[in-house]
Amino acid sequence: MKSGLTICVSIAPAKTTEVYDSYWKFAALRQEAFFNRLNGESYPWSSDMIINQYRFTNVYRAADRVSQYLIRNVIYRDDLPNSPKEVLFRILLFKLFNKIETWELLNSALGNITYEEYDFKRYNNILSETINSGKRIYSAAYIMPSGKSYFGYLRKHSNHLKLIEHIISANTHEQLMSTNKMQQAFEIIKSFPSLGDFLAYQLLIDINYSSILNFSESDFVVPGPGAIGGISKCFQDTAGLNNAEVIKLMTDRQEQEFERLGLVFNNLWGRRLQLIDCQNIFCEVDKYARVKHPNVKGSSDRVKIKQKFKINSVPLSIWFPPKWGINDKILELSK
């Protein structure tokens, strides 16, 4: 179970398991599969049968399908108002459901989605009718608390629409823009009803894709349940480091570890892994290890990976927040 590797940190040496090396190997292989698909190569995109068989998110969170849709089709829209209030409204409306089909449903029924023309009854009726027809309006990626105890509606989506109203009416965009630390912005988001640490941090990252915030993704991290499970499988003893500090450790050591293992990691056009990415990799390695290292249990009770990979034949194209300065590099490579 032990890898024999000792990481020297300022507190004490941490002891790893065999899954620690698989963390880096998975990151390199999953990123290789991403570029293979992007470059138009035929499936299978990986030499790793586990990656080919099961569904894993991209190594870089912003490269995932839902994040890409958010960035390209919700945040940066030339045909919609780009004021901070309107952009925040669109981000909240998209992310509280976190489902592309729900956004497209609303867009189709309402035309251009703006807060200026927002009407609770109209939005609520559209979503209620969709549910009544047997369709799902929420993603299964993570569970959204209902918010009923605060807003009082029987249906979850009604409470979430009221949550959006509540956040926007508090001039949250102005509060967020006045912060000078990412954690301050996190605390503002977390202060709203039903948004715990995990959901508040995910929303923070999404808002940070826009021009409302401009923090480094390596400023602050909140480990989610999946990441905590992955950490417990990679480390036998973290030597006093808390989960956020472990993620920071991984972010700091990435080049050393890829070199140590002789791995070629193709980063995102010069953008190294950020805290949010290393946090997400822990989530995916928690799943990956269920097949690769079934003997390493960690703190997770799950022993199987639920979702199998389904081939999507649509050519992959990507675009990132312009402030990252990498879209021009992508365009140059595609010429």
Side-chain angles (χ1 to χ4, degrees):
M1 184 172 176
K2 296 181 181 179
S3 68
L5 172 67
T6 298
I7 302 174
C8 296
V9 295
S10 57
I11 301 175
K15 297 178 181 179
T16 65
T17 72
E18 63 199 62
V19 184
Y20 180 85
D21 284 357
S22 286
Y23 177 100
W24 303 108
K25 292 172 183 176
F26 170 85
L29 288 166
R30 183 62 184 84
Q31 184 71 347
E32 181 183 47
F34 165 74
F35 274 111
N36 284 342
R37 184 185 172 195
L38 183 65
N39 293 331
E41 296 186 20
S42 58
Y43 180 83
W45 294 303
S46 176
S47 58
D48 186 294
M49 295 309 297
I50 301 175
I51 291 175
N52 287 332
Q53 185 177 358
Y54 298 98
R55 185 183 178 278
F56 296 98
T57 64
N58 276 304
V59 170
Y60 286 87
R61 182 187 188 269
D64 258 341
R65 185 178 72 99
V66 175
S67 294
Q68 279 289 297
Y69 190 94
L70 170 71
I71 294 165
R72 302 180 74 163
N73 299 91
V74 178
I75 297 176
Y76 294 98
R77 288 278 296 269
D78 293 335
D79 61 330
L80 293 177
N82 63 358
S83 69
K85 178 183 282 188
E86 288 283 358
V87 172
L88 180 60
F89 170 70
R90 295 201 299 271
I91 293 171
L92 293 171
L93 182 63
F94 180 80
K95 286 302 297 184
L96 289 185
F97 300 97
N98 204 35
K99 192 173 180 67
I100 293 171
E101 292 80 4
T102 301
W103 172 268
E104 292 184 341
L105 165 76
L106 290 170
N107 194 67
S108 175
L110 299 165
N112 288 341
I113 293 174
T114 65
Y115 183 66
E116 185 178 2
E117 297 180 2
Y118 167 79
D119 178 78
F120 170 80
K121 186 176 180 180
R122 193 176 179 197
Y123 277 63
N124 191 54
N125 286 343
I126 292 168
L127 295 173
S128 295
E129 289 170 5
T130 303
I131 293 172
N132 291 340
S133 70
K135 295 179 182 177
R136 296 179 61 177
I137 63 171
Y138 286 91
S139 163
Y142 44 78
I143 298 171
M144 284 292 301
S146 72
K148 181 182 176 182
S149 62
Y150 190 89
F151 297 104
Y153 288 87
L154 292 176
R155 283 189 155 169
K156 188 162 66 170
H157 68 270
S158 304
N159 295 310
H160 290 159
L161 290 174
K162 285 298 180 182
L163 174 60
I164 293 171
E165 290 181 30
H166 182 45
I167 294 172
I168 297 297
S169 65
N171 288 322
T172 304
H173 62 286
E174 293 181 357
Q175 295 183 54
L176 292 173
M177 293 173 75
S178 70
T179 59
N180 53 29
K181 290 185 178 180
M182 198 176 198
Q183 186 167 358
Q184 288 179 307
F186 166 77
E187 295 296 343
I188 290 170
I189 298 168
K190 185 187 170 185
S191 69
F192 290 100
S194 74
L195 297 179
D197 286 358
F198 176 73
L199 291 175
Y201 180 63
Q202 296 300 314
L203 276 175
L204 171 66
I205 295 298
D206 292 316
I207 296 168
N208 197 49
Y209 290 149
S210 76
S211 59
I212 296 171
L213 297 174
N214 191 26
F215 295 112
S216 164
E217 288 190 328
S218 281
D219 277 359
F220 174 71
V221 69
V222 175
I228 293 171
I231 290 169
S232 72
K233 289 181 179 179
C234 288
F235 289 87
Q236 188 180 35
D237 183 354
T238 63
L241 295 175
N242 62 35
N243 291 317
E245 289 168 336
V246 169
I247 294 169
K248 178 67 165 61
L249 177 73
M250 304 296 270
T251 308
D252 290 344
R253 292 187 61 89
Q254 59 188 274
E255 289 85 5
Q256 290 173 260
E257 296 300 342
F258 288 130
E259 183 179 359
R260 176 181 66 83
L261 294 167
L263 298 169
V264 176
F265 180 76
N266 295 316
N267 61 30
L268 211 60
W269 289 275
R271 184 180 179 85
R272 66 199 299 269
L273 294 168
Q274 308 290 298
L275 289 176
I276 180 62
D277 305 315
C278 288
Q279 194 262 174
N280 278 8
I281 296 171
F282 270 124
C283 296
E284 300 311 290
V285 166
D286 179 30
K287 295 188 293 185
Y288 183 81
R290 295 171 200 170
V291 177
K292 184 72 173 179
H293 306 283
N295 58 306
V296 182
K297 302 300 181 184
S299 61
S300 177
D301 294 330
R302 296 180 179 179
V303 295
K304 294 182 179 180
I305 305 175
K306 285 185 177 180
Q307 293 183 306
K308 293 289 184 75
F309 176 72
K310 297 179 181 178
I311 299 174
N312 187 338
S313 59
V314 177
L316 190 64
S317 63
I318 53 172
W319 194 79
F320 296 99
K323 58 188 172 182
W324 288 6
I326 61 178
N327 289 327
D328 289 343
K329 298 176 184 178
I330 298 170
L331 290 173
E332 287 174 9
L333 290 172
S334 64
K335 291 179 180 178

